[in-house]
Amino acid sequence: MTTLAYFAWELAHRGDTPCVRDDHTALTYRQFADRVDAAAAHLQSIGVRRGDVVATILPNRVELLVCLMAAWRLGAAATPVNPAFTATEAGYQLDDADARIVVGRTPGGPIGDRIEIGPEELRTEPDTAWSAPEPPEPDDVALLIYTSGSTGSPKGVEQTHGNVAYMTTAVAEHMEVGADDHALLILPLFHSNAIFVSFLPMMAVGGRLSVTGTFSVRRFFTDVATLRPTYFSAVPTIYALLTSSPDITDADVDSLRFAICGAAPISKELLDAAESALGVTIVEGYGLTEGKCVSACNPRSDVRKLGTVGIPLPGQRIDVVDSTGAPVPTGESGEVVISGPNVMRGYLHRPDATAATVIDGRLHTGDIGVLDADGYLSIVDRIKDMIIRGGENVYPKEIEAAITTHPDVLECAVVGGPDPILGEVPIAFVVTYPNTTLHRDELAAHLRDIVTKAKRPTEIHLVDVLPRNPVGKIDKPSLRQQTRIPAR
Ligand code: ATP
């Protein structure tokens, strides 16, 4: 399989097997394939051609999946826009991606000569006169996912048909999923994780996919009990919400075989608490949009090493290098660089940013990591999150790990704040478990026993919640702003 054209054929041949569902619709593979063909014929009739960009501004629902597949069927690229975006944010992505067609409603109304159609207007009956165009080439762009912009303006990551197809099979193989698996998709579809860990692997192996609307803990437990999925993929925040919920004690989660955690660091304490509360193995993985989503993941049936993000996915290679690009010795830290068929073609319209990120075919991740003798990767921190305290490098993730060893702490984030003498100092924002009475002096005393002075936060703020980006990751740039220091 070299391109996503494969799916259109496969889908139709799986007949009456259940395929995708949401709160409004449940489709078999045959019905889903027909809906994809009907939508592709419709999009073609309104002018979508190979190489065009189709934008979706839709919440998580079956129509969004149909649109993605329909765009790929036509050799077009899809760019899913966050439906909660303001007119300015959506306008930026639509302009930057040069999207000709929008499925959904552009906030503030359609702009320019762009064609906009509502998802309910998309044809649902197959058109017998329709003939699919030639399948796309592996190098054609299939997806334009936008980075969150925490390091500047959001950038469109060009993911080709070849690397999307590769990623799908590599994830399915690594997760050991088959036709009897059923994914509960809870993460937003404008981000890589939902597409590559839930949607496409299920389509590739003939499994089932249930798409839920906005996440809530109660909704999650009801969905697991009634829909009986075999796995789901979530970010650490969701595990923190599930674990601290009183509903978890009576939850019926027997159908789950495993769960995936990624997108941001998770503390060992939270991983343990979530595993014992849910009664399933949670495998931690690591990746970034520029590398299609997953680059390393702990195995399900081979050795799992807690605290690491596992081994490279089949077909990828991970090196840890110094500032000259040379590998550092095993066990030492350096920048994580990734090579393989998952590396993005580039950032759309940004040759300079691409050249700074993909060097000799290797993706420079901006993450600091360590490889052990068995090839398991640990993420130390992100280069841009590192705090330089009086010239000494301090990693917030290490301080966060120390803070979460306190039994009352649910989660926390450490960022650099300004200091007239030391330049930068660590500042902690901490969320405690409900019904606990932790005082910051007690936490400071706890830290005195486990970390050296440089790693002790100069301020500890006990807060109710941590700010999140739309994917649910802790929004460190906004925390940094609260400490009045700009992000590096
Ligand atoms: P932007 O690139 O605009 O800042 P973003 O960081 O949210 O946005 P993503 O591609 O979604 O973009 O995130 C990738 C980053 O998430 C990785 O580079 C890494 O820093 C972090 N990450 C992902 N998985 C893990 C993990 N298991 N442990 C620690 N960090 C992780």
Side-chain angles (χ1 to χ4, degrees):
M1 175 177 65
T2 51
T3 78
L4 284 169
Y6 158 93
F7 286 119
W9 186 88
E10 276 292 304
L11 292 177
H13 284 74
R14 294 216 173 97
D16 294 333
T17 314
C19 179
V20 291
R21 68 174 302 289
D22 63 17
D23 289 345
H24 315 279
T25 320
L27 302 175
T28 64
Y29 270 90
R30 156 66 59 198
Q31 291 166 330
F32 184 53
D34 284 348
R35 287 281 292 273
V36 170
D37 272 4
H42 190 162
L43 292 175
Q44 192 183 52
S45 73
I46 55 174
V48 176
R49 297 286 175 267
R50 189 169 167 174
D52 284 346
V53 176
V54 176
T56 57
I57 309 185
L58 297 171
N60 274 15
R61 53 193 269 189
V62 164
E63 281 87 347
L64 175 40
L65 309 176
V66 169
C67 286
L68 295 178
M69 287 280 188
W72 296 333
R73 193 99 166 88
L74 295 171
T79 192
V81 178
N82 179 351
F85 269 176
T86 62
T88 312
E89 291 163 332
Y92 172 88
Q93 183 170 338
L94 296 177
D95 286 345
D96 191 72
D98 202 12
R100 295 195 48 223
I101 307 277
V102 176
V103 183
R105 294 275 167 250
T106 310
I111 317 158
D113 58 0
R114 210 168 274 136
I115 301 173
E116 182 179 289
I117 55 171
E120 65 293 338
E121 293 170 62
L122 268 185
R123 217 176 281 154
T124 53
E125 293 303 320
D127 173 352
T128 43
W130 138 264
S131 66
E134 283 292 295
E137 296 293 326
D139 265 353
D140 290 342
V141 177
L143 254 184
L144 284 167
I145 300 277
Y146 275 71
T147 61
S148 67
S150 57
T151 47
S153 358
K155 296 190 274 294
V157 175
E158 295 179 306
Q159 311 190 339
T160 64
H161 280 261
N163 39 46
V164 169
Y166 152 76
M167 181 50 60
T168 303
T169 32
V171 171
E173 192 184 317
H174 192 87
M175 292 195 307
E176 303 175 50
V177 286
D180 60 347
D181 273 295
H182 176 178
L184 182 68
L185 190 155
I186 54 178
L187 295 176
L189 276 158
F190 52 82
H191 190 249
S192 304
N193 194 304
I195 296 177
F196 291 110
V197 183
S198 301
F199 173 39
L200 289 179
M202 285 298 93
M203 298 301 101
V205 300
R208 245 194 239 205
L209 182 80
S210 290
V211 180
T212 69
T214 311
F215 175 84
S216 80
V217 171
R218 196 147 278 176
R219 161 99 210 228
F220 173 83
F221 286 128
T222 309
D223 283 344
V224 175
T226 54
L227 302 170
R228 309 201 54 75
T230 59
Y231 82 98
F232 69 95
S233 170
V235 296
T237 310
I238 289 185
Y239 289 105
L241 290 170
L242 296 177
T243 311
S244 60
S245 160
D247 294 341
I248 199 158
T249 34
D250 307 319
D252 171 5
V253 290
D254 287 356
S255 63
L256 293 173
R257 297 175 182 160
F258 72 106
I260 305 259
C261 182
I266 184 164
S267 69
K268 281 187 187 160
E269 289 75 13
L270 179 56
L271 192 73
D272 277 346
E275 282 201 339
S276 53
L278 289 168
V280 287
T281 299
I282 302 172
V283 286
E284 190 183 352
Y286 157 83
L288 60 168
T289 312
E290 291 82 343
K292 259 348 63 39
C293 189
V294 195
S295 282
C297 191
N298 269 287
R300 261 179 81 188
S301 43
D302 206 343
V303 177
R304 188 165 69 110
K305 292 196 187 181
L306 289 185
T308 78
V309 295
I311 49 176
L313 256 60
Q316 295 184 51
R317 184 191 159 97
I318 295 184
D319 290 292
V320 171
V321 301
D322 64 20
S323 55
T324 68
V328 300
T330 303
E332 286 186 18
S333 64
E335 185 178 12
V336 178
V337 295
I338 297 168
S339 25
N342 60 312
V343 174
M344 66 168 177
R345 194 170 89 168
Y347 293 114
L348 184 69
H349 311 315
R350 288 174 178 83
D352 292 352
T354 305
T357 309
V358 182
I359 303 166
D360 297 331
R362 296 199 302 182
L363 174 67
H364 284 250
T365 62
D367 291 315
I368 304 162
V370 177
L371 280 170
D372 73 9
D374 301 322
Y376 282 68
L377 177 70
S378 303
I379 300 297
V380 177
D381 221 319
R382 306 182 84 163
I383 292 173
K384 63 182 181 226
D385 285 343
M386 194 173 76
I387 299 167
I388 304 175
R389 180 191 178 277
E392 184 182 351
N393 295 349
V394 175
Y395 295 112
K397 198 167 158 254
E398 199 185 335
I399 308 175
E400 289 159 5
I403 296 174
T404 35
T405 59
H406 193 288
D408 289 352
V409 173
L410 177 60
E411 55 174 358
C412 67
V414 172
V415 295
D419 184 89
I421 313 267
L422 294 165
E424 258 185 308
V425 285
I427 294 186
F429 295 83
V430 178
V431 180
T432 55
Y433 275 100
N435 307 321
T436 51
T437 53
L438 180 67
H439 190 274
R440 56 171 179 243
D441 294 343
E442 186 190 335
L443 184 56
H446 174 75
L447 290 175
R448 268 199 295 281
D449 292 337
I450 45 178
V451 287
T452 57
K453 188 156 185 262
K455 297 177 195 162
R456 290 182 210 143
T458 54
E459 286 172 38
I460 294 175
H461 299 277
L462 294 170
V463 293
D464 291 337
V465 284
L466 293 169
R468 309 275 169 199
N469 73 12
V471 181
K473 294 195 201 193
I474 296 170
D475 185 357
K476 287 205 167 177
S478 126
L479 287 175
R480 268 190 217 105
Q481 246 165 23
Q482 290 183 34
T483 70
R484 289 186 312 280
I485 191 166
R488 261 197 306 271

